[in-house]
Amino acid sequence: MADRYSFSLTTFSPSGKLVQIEYALNAVKQGVTTIGIKSANGVVLATERKANSSLLKSNTGSKVELITPNIGMSYSGMGPDFRVLVDKARKLAHTNYKRIYNEYPPVKILVQEIAKVMQESTQSGGIRPFGVSLLVGGYDEHSEQFQLYQVDPSGSYFPWKATAIGKTSNSAKTFLEKRWNENLELEDAIHVALLALKESVDGELTGDNLDIAIVSDPQDHLLGFKGTSVEGPRFKKLTAEEINDRLDSL
Amino acid sequence: MADRYSFSLTTFSPSGKLVQIEYALNAVKQGVTTIGIKSANGVVLATERKANSSLLKSNTGSKVELITPNIGMSYSGMGPDFRVLVDKARKLAHTNYKRIYNEYPPVKILVQEIAKVMQESTQSGGIRPFGVSLLVGGYDEHSEQFQLYQVDPSGSYFPWKATAIGKTSNSAKTFLEKRWNENLELEDAIHVALLALKESVDGELTGDNLDIAIVSDPQDHLLGFKGTSVEGPRFKKLTAEEINDRLDSL
Amino acid sequence: MADRYSFSLTTFSPSGKLVQIEYALNAVKQGVTTIGIKSANGVVLATERKANSSLLKSNTGSKVELITPNIGMSYSGMGPDFRVLVDKARKLAHTNYKRIYNEYPPVKILVQEIAKVMQESTQSGGIRPFGVSLLVGGYDEHSEQFQLYQVDPSGSYFPWKATAIGKTSNSAKTFLEKRWNENLELEDAIHVALLALKESVDGELTGDNLDIAIVSDPQDHLLGFKGTSVEGPRFKKLTAEEINDRLDSL
Amino acid sequence: MADRYSFSLTTFSPSGKLVQIEYALNAVKQGVTTIGIKSANGVVLATERKANSSLLKSNTGSKVELITPNIGMSYSGMGPDFRVLVDKARKLAHTNYKRIYNEYPPVKILVQEIAKVMQESTQSGGIRPFGVSLLVGGYDEHSEQFQLYQVDPSGSYFPWKATAIGKTSNSAKTFLEKRWNENLELEDAIHVALLALKESVDGELTGDNLDIAIVSDPQDHLLGFKGTSVEGPRFKKLTAEEINDRLDSL
Amino acid sequence: MADRYSFSLTTFSPSGKLVQIEYALNAVKQGVTTIGIKSANGVVLATERKANSSLLKSNTGSKVELITPNIGMSYSGMGPDFRVLVDKARKLAHTNYKRIYNEYPPVKILVQEIAKVMQESTQSGGIRPFGVSLLVGGYDEHSEQFQLYQVDPSGSYFPWKATAIGKTSNSAKTFLEKRWNENLELEDAIHVALLALKESVDGELTGDNLDIAIVSDPQDHLLGFKGTSVEGPRFKKLTAEEINDRLDSL
Amino acid sequence: MADRYSFSLTTFSPSGKLVQIEYALNAVKQGVTTIGIKSANGVVLATERKANSSLLKSNTGSKVELITPNIGMSYSGMGPDFRVLVDKARKLAHTNYKRIYNEYPPVKILVQEIAKVMQESTQSGGIRPFGVSLLVGGYDEHSEQFQLYQVDPSGSYFPWKATAIGKTSNSAKTFLEKRWNENLELEDAIHVALLALKESVDGELTGDNLDIAIVSDPQDHLLGFKGTSVEGPRFKKLTAEEINDRLDSL
Amino acid sequence: MADRYSFSLTTFSPSGKLVQIEYALNAVKQGVTTIGIKSANGVVLATERKANSSLLKSNTGSKVELITPNIGMSYSGMGPDFRVLVDKARKLAHTNYKRIYNEYPPVKILVQEIAKVMQESTQSGGIRPFGVSLLVGGYDEHSEQFQLYQVDPSGSYFPWKATAIGKTSNSAKTFLEKRWNENLELEDAIHVALLALKESVDGELTGDNLDIAIVSDPQDHLLGFKGTSVEGPRFKKLTAEEINDRLDSL
């Protein structure tokens, strides 16, 4: 960070605000709502996939992405900026961390690294801030715990039990505060996430306009081979059918 | 991306918009309309070639370009910017991907790489955004599927069954929504594309003022040699005669 | 410092002020209050951890950080900027100093190095000033003394017996002047810090919305192994329970 | 293109225009008219050489330049910018292409390379756009065809049968549309070019205030040696006498 | 100086002033007053140490610093800028000079080097001017003379018998002109310095709110070892007690 | 040219003008008049040397400079900029050309190189345009011809029989058009140049306020040695006496 | 000069002026007057040393500096800028010239090099112009002549018999024109210089507020050793006593 060629595009206003960061947050506020909920046995990340035309192909979801086999990431705000951060997060996880320690980083370490990238863009990277807030959900092998984090354009990050970002984040968070409790099972969490999204989405929820991923038990069948002692990834995207099943039971 | 010398020309407005991107979209909106349609057995990319003078030579079309033998690309907006992206796309396909994997990239991978180049120009490349939207059509060997993508100046990309970009894109998209269905054959798709363009083009459609390319079956005769097991390219530009034949049957 | 590529974003106003520094101080003034108190047998750093939602996970405090085993650091102002300075401080302590002298730097040396980083950002680093004031508390092996320093965005630093930074720093400092005396024991200091924070915090103080760390006697049990002559770290974060115990006795 | 140090001087206006390019086109519009005509057996490039003083030496024409033995280039707009592009075009033809393939580039390849240089100056070269439009005429060995291209400050290029750039380009183009046909011989083309220029030139046309070059049959006598199988250059500048002969027969 | 990457932030106003330098002088004028007096047998540098809170630790003075064993430096203006210049001055004295000549630089040489650093910041360093004026006092081995210099943000330097910089410098200089004479002994000089400061300091003078250093006879006891022929440093900071003793006898 | 670090200070005005170039031409227009005349057996360059004080030493003329033994250069406009171009021209002639071809460059080649340097300063050198127009006079060994060129701040260059630049260039050019003819001998040319200057110079012409150089026959006596087959330089500055002799015969 | 990283801070005004240079000249015009006079047997450089306080030490003159043993330099304008040019001039004289030719540069060569440095700062050094005019006086071994030059912020230089720069330069030059003649001896020149300064200095002239240096006969006694064939330096600063002696005889 802050190497000698870098410089800042973001300066303080008289009241001590960094306005480019505030404006970037407004870009986030214009994005569709994304929900993250942590439960006893897994994390769910759920968001709407805008399909304002029947001609838009629906089976190419990319709003919730796998970063490591046990960590997924979603966002509200500008899609192309999210893709840049997905690339960086994967690189940080694999090149910077896994190559050294021969294991994937814990969720918090990864979140701190991503947050550092986002902070740099507000002080020294010579670039505009990123126009996204992120939700990062994952599982830590060592602590055997599920984790859910939010990262903002300023580079601030927060650990959550459940939260929402984007257009209707305020009302969604109020809803989540009422519905979340320590005993929530993963299926309950998905249920709550769908209810929370229902408020913000115009029109009907379907498997085609939702992107939902979970981090829960190892999905050995996703490994593509058998008979080994290697655990499958815990990150798994729900198919349109799996989402529709849950929507039917709302 | 985002190496240490780069910086952004594009900053957030108070409402969270990146105005240079909005203005670049306006440049796209001033471009002639380009149509892309995916059918069961192929993709068609069709656009108008402005020939506002009888002295402009007609047989030198370059508004739909081959990127790999199975992927073609067209655009609306600024021609010289398109040429830069054609160069980059070819380089990405050959140098970055084919040299490593010894096969051409799938359509989505290529689209993501191009989208990344366009996103960079909005955050860290130190240059203005590209003044074009792209349509990328192709065929994936592995999935054995045809693909059609749109990439915008922001670096956003969308998978489509059929779409239009440029001056009359809104009305053309409405038209395509009415006419497109899952059973469309490639020839039907070309037919629909011609009808959609007819609306936007001033004056008569002819083989001389249209640029049409298809990605469909391997065109072994385009290989230039015989008796091998190598498949020919699937990308093929229609000649003026081939276009005129279709126009006659409209 | 001041290598040949660097340049300043901060210039003098006609009255001789560096306005970006004044604005950065306003960013600090908007931060939550942080208290530092030096006593005969230890230093305490205490601050509020904002938890404006019941869904924010509470056990992930990071507002007071260990820099070396004997030095801790807290802040008022912008969290992501603090994290950058924590990284730099750790690097300065370990790479620049410990690698050369095979011991951790004395508190004042470390503070001077951090202050230099912050001064650079106001004259030559090409970046905006840091939006934080820091409190650095620690213990010097050689002088066998506890130390407490404040570092401001300008790079100014001050040695304190007790002080406060952030939103209610003025009233808190007045309170501390009344309550501090040379005979204060560490437990008294924690008591005074809690009382000082009480004024500034909206709502009840609990172990969940406070971050408190002490630098006092070596905590050999924190070493994770036994039977050696190595001393444990003197820096120790209080658990929520330990904080609640003290709150009960207020 | 777009290396990491580059940046753009040219940004989008709200309506999606790149104003520096529009202004550069205005610089072209202030230049003297240049005519290019392709005929069955050759291309002619003709322009006025301003000689507003009898003291200006006339035999040092440089407004139509040889790029390769078979390709010539003329312009409207700023002379010094043209000279830079002549240098670059020659370098591209020889160093980049001939050194690799051991033959001169086809006209279209060369035109694309020049166009790329001009596009760069509008997006990433950190410099103002070039203040010239170019006419490039040449002969392709492989296709055995004559070619005529126009390149604009934006980097757009167009294949023409006949065209005009500069001050009176609009009226000259109208004139050319009337006079051009497929059966034109080179001598006819020169005749038409002289007529087209007559309109735009103040005062009488003479061999002294015109610069005319043709690309037609190999001019073996220009080789400077005999008895070899090497073909002479096809590019040939007309002498003042040769021009006057044609003017006499107008 | 003036290497090829550097550039100036400071340009001439129409009247030929460099305004950033004038503004930097205003920053100096806002600083507390610092007094320097040269006497027959030593130099004294004296300044106020602001302690606007009883909680500020008093025994950590750093407003008069040793640069070489025989040269000390104080300032008025911005503390963090002073620290940067202290670092540079020490480096210049040791690395640039002592490493070459195996002795410390004479006072004037050192002053010229510091002045050059400050001039650069006004023309070519790409940074704002330094917001301090310096007083440099020292003893030259070769000439066997005491020296006192002032250096201003512009890089101007002046040799003084006695002078004052900072808030009340004008009145203090008038006072010094009246009291200074060639026969002043060091103790008299300290006495005069305290009287001069008395005017500018709000509240009572004490050993706790004053920083005083002298350069006089070698202080062999400061060497930390005995029985050698090495001379001790001539620079010596007065303790609070030593200051109080002098204050009592005012 | 146009290396990757360069950028332009000169952008287009809406009407397609490069205003910095226009302003530089105004700087030329404020310079004293300089006359260049080509005759059958030589070129003369003549200009006024301002001596607005009797104390200015007169025998140190430098307004007409030798570039190669056969080429001289004068100017109107800013003297220090001329000196830079003299240095560059000499370097171009010797290092770039003579080192490669073992002979001095022909006049036109040298003029093109200087013009390129001046064009760069208007597009990519990152510097302001040069504030001078140049007159370059010389003799080409190969063509056995005398040459006279003008180069403008834009990098445009023109071959002349006779011309004038600077304050009274318009009237001087009208005068030259009347007086110049093909049969002019060098001595006539000097005579005409003196008459042309007479108009523009305030006060009397003398050998002391004129700078005149000729390029004509080889001046073997200027070689400084004898008995070799080396030809002397053709460039020769007239002494004050030689000028006065000609003035007497006006 | 003009390496690829450099750029200009100084652009043309519409009337063709470089305003930063004009402003720098205003800085010179605010400086104290400096006189230079060339006589048959030597050059004198004389200027006022401001001593607006009795406490300013007087024996540390530095406004006339030795550059080589036979060349001295003084200035009007900004002292710190002068010091930078002194450093550069010495370096140019020793490193660039003496190391190559094993003798010191002639006055004119040195002046041209300094002028080049000053021109660069107006076109390509990326820095503001220097805020000084220089007077350079010296003796050339080869021509056996004394020389006096003025160099201005623009990089213009002029050879003088006698001249003045700074606040009262206009009236002083008028005075010098009346008093200077070819038969002036060095002592007369000093006499005239003192008379010229008398006008501009407020208050009495004394050896303490004047800086005078002469370049005349070799001062072998300044060599510091005897019995060699080496000539002593011709540059010699007058002591306060030597100045007072001349003042007495005014």
Side-chain angles (χ1 to χ4, degrees), chain F residues 227-248:
Chain F
T228 76
S229 62
V230 182
E231 260 190 358
R234 288 167 180 273
F235 177 89
K236 176 174 173 293
K237 291 201 58 175
L238 299 191
T239 62
E241 292 71 41
E242 289 171 325
I243 295 171
N244 283 328
D245 288 352
R246 266 96 176 178
L247 286 169
D248 293 346

Side-chain angles (χ1 to χ4, degrees), chain E:
Chain E
M1 213 234 65
D3 68 73
R4 64 228 290 214
Y5 300 90
S6 62
F7 61 95
S8 177
L9 286 177
T10 312
T11 49
F12 285 102
S13 73
S15 63
K17 308 239 169 188
L18 295 169
V19 285
Q20 275 294 304
I21 292 180
E22 314 253 315
Y23 298 172
L25 274 171
N26 289 340
V28 172
K29 276 281 163 64
Q30 287 168 20
V32 301
T33 308
T34 298
I35 307 289
I37 304 179
K38 194 162 67 93
S39 74
N41 56 335
V43 188
V44 59
L45 299 174
T47 190
E48 182 190 1
R49 193 167 61 218
K50 281 254 164 139
N52 46 20
S53 161
S54 63
L55 293 176
L56 208 53
K57 263 185 71 189
S58 58
N59 65 336
T60 323
S62 62
K63 296 195 60 184
V64 189
E65 290 281 359
L66 177 150
I67 305 300
T68 73
N70 291 355
I71 303 179
M73 187 159 98
S74 190
Y75 75 101
S76 290
M78 301 173 52
D81 281 20
F82 173 62
R83 298 229 61 83
V84 171
L85 288 167
V86 165
D87 277 10
K88 284 184 183 286
R90 285 175 178 159
K91 207 166 172 184
L92 289 166
H94 292 74
T95 316
N96 291 17
Y97 196 92
K98 187 151 188 283
R99 205 158 59 182
I100 299 170
Y101 301 108
N102 202 25
E103 63 179 34
Y104 285 108
V107 183
K108 193 185 171 187
I109 296 290
L110 184 65
V111 162
Q112 283 181 335
E113 292 296 311
I114 299 170
K116 212 184 288 181
V117 167
M118 294 175 81
Q119 191 277 347
E120 273 182 58
S121 77
T122 75
Q123 190 183 27
S124 65
I127 59 174
R128 62 167 171 80
F130 284 89
V132 287
S133 283
L134 303 174
L135 290 188
V136 183
Y139 176 82
D140 285 345
E141 294 285 348
H142 292 280
S143 66
E144 297 188 353
Q145 282 194 322
F146 291 97
Q147 309 277 0
L148 173 66
Y149 282 91
Q150 172 186 352
V151 194
D152 275 351
S154 66
S156 297
Y157 59 90
F158 314 96
W160 290 99
K161 291 160 183 163
T163 194
I165 52 177
K167 211 186 300 180
T168 62
S169 54
N170 287 345
S171 59
K173 268 151 97 170
T174 311
F175 176 81
L176 291 172
E177 284 177 23
K178 282 190 217 124
R179 298 298 284 264
W180 193 88
N181 64 68
E182 296 285 346
N183 304 319
L184 228 56
E185 293 284 316
L186 178 57
E187 278 305 317
D188 303 330
I190 298 172
H191 189 90
V192 171
L194 289 172
L195 288 173
L197 278 181
K198 206 171 185 180
E199 303 293 298
S200 78
V201 174
D202 297 341
E204 206 185 355
L205 294 184
T206 72
D208 280 352
N209 62 7
L210 290 178
D211 249 10
I212 301 183
I214 56 171
V215 179
S216 58
D217 298 324
Q219 310 284 316
D220 291 346
H221 67 280
L222 291 176
L223 272 180
F225 55 87
K226 280 192 185 173
T228 76
S229 62
V230 181
E231 261 192 357
R234 287 167 180 273
F235 178 89
K236 175 176 175 291
K237 291 200 60 174
L238 299 191
T239 62
E241 292 72 39
E242 288 172 326
I243 295 171
N244 282 329
D245 288 354
R246 266 97 176 176
L247 285 170
D248 292 347
S249 65
L250 269 197

Side-chain angles (χ1 to χ4, degrees), chain G residues 16-133:
Chain G
K17 309 241 168 186
L18 295 170
V19 285
Q20 275 294 303
I21 292 180
E22 313 253 315
Y23 297 172
L25 274 170
N26 290 341
V28 172
K29 276 280 163 66
Q30 288 167 20
V32 300
T33 308
T34 297
I35 307 288
I37 305 179
K38 195 162 67 91
S39 74
N41 56 334
V43 188
V44 60
L45 299 174
T47 191
E48 180 191 354
R49 194 167 58 219
K50 280 255 164 139
N52 46 20
S53 161
S54 63
L55 293 176
L56 209 53
K57 263 185 71 189
S58 58
N59 65 336
T60 321
S62 63
K63 296 195 59 183
V64 188
E65 290 281 0
L66 176 150
I67 305 300
T68 74
N70 291 356
I71 303 180
M73 187 159 97
S74 191
Y75 74 102
S76 289
M78 300 173 51
D81 281 21
F82 173 63
R83 298 228 61 83
V84 170
L85 288 167
V86 165
D87 277 9
K88 283 184 184 287
R90 284 175 178 159
K91 206 166 174 184
L92 289 166
H94 291 75
T95 316
N96 290 16
Y97 196 93
K98 186 150 188 284
R99 206 158 58 181
I100 299 170
Y101 300 107
N102 201 25
E103 63 180 32
Y104 286 107
V107 184
K108 194 185 171 188
I109 297 290
L110 185 65
V111 162
Q112 283 181 334
E113 292 296 311
I114 299 170
K116 212 185 289 181
V117 167
M118 293 175 81
Q119 192 276 347
E120 273 182 57
S121 76
T122 75
Q123 190 182 26
S124 65
I127 59 174
R128 62 168 171 81
F130 284 90
V132 288
S133 284

Side-chain angles (χ1 to χ4, degrees), chain F residues 164-179:
Chain F
I165 52 176
K167 210 185 301 179
T168 63
S169 56
N170 287 345
S171 60
K173 269 150 96 170
T174 311
F175 176 80
L176 291 173
E177 282 175 26
K178 282 188 216 125
R179 298 298 284 265

Side-chain angles (χ1 to χ4, degrees), chain D residues 197-213:
Chain D
L197 276 181
K198 206 172 186 180
E199 303 292 299
S200 79
V201 174
D202 297 341
E204 207 186 356
L205 293 184
T206 73
D208 280 352
N209 63 7
L210 290 179
D211 248 10
I212 301 184

Side-chain angles (χ1 to χ4, degrees), chain A residues 3 5-7 9 20 23-24 26-27 30 52-57 60-62 78 80-81 83-84 87-88 121 125-131, chain B residues 1 4-8 10-16 18 38 112 116 119 122-124 147 149 154-162 176-177 180:
Chain A
D3 68 74
Y5 300 89
S6 62
F7 61 96
L9 286 177
Q20 275 295 303
Y23 298 171
N26 289 341
Q30 287 168 20
N52 47 19
S53 161
S54 63
L55 294 174
L56 208 54
K57 265 185 70 188
T60 323
S62 62
M78 300 173 52
D81 282 19
R83 298 228 59 83
V84 170
D87 277 10
K88 284 185 183 286
S121 76
I127 60 174
R128 63 168 170 80
F130 284 91
Chain B
M1 212 234 64
R4 65 229 290 215
Y5 300 89
S6 62
F7 62 95
S8 178
T10 312
T11 48
F12 286 103
S13 72
S15 63
L18 295 169
K38 195 162 66 94
Q112 283 180 335
K116 212 186 289 182
Q119 191 277 346
T122 74
Q123 189 183 25
S124 65
Q147 307 278 359
Y149 281 91
S154 67
S156 297
Y157 58 91
F158 314 96
W160 289 99
K161 293 161 181 162
L176 290 173
E177 282 177 25
W180 193 89

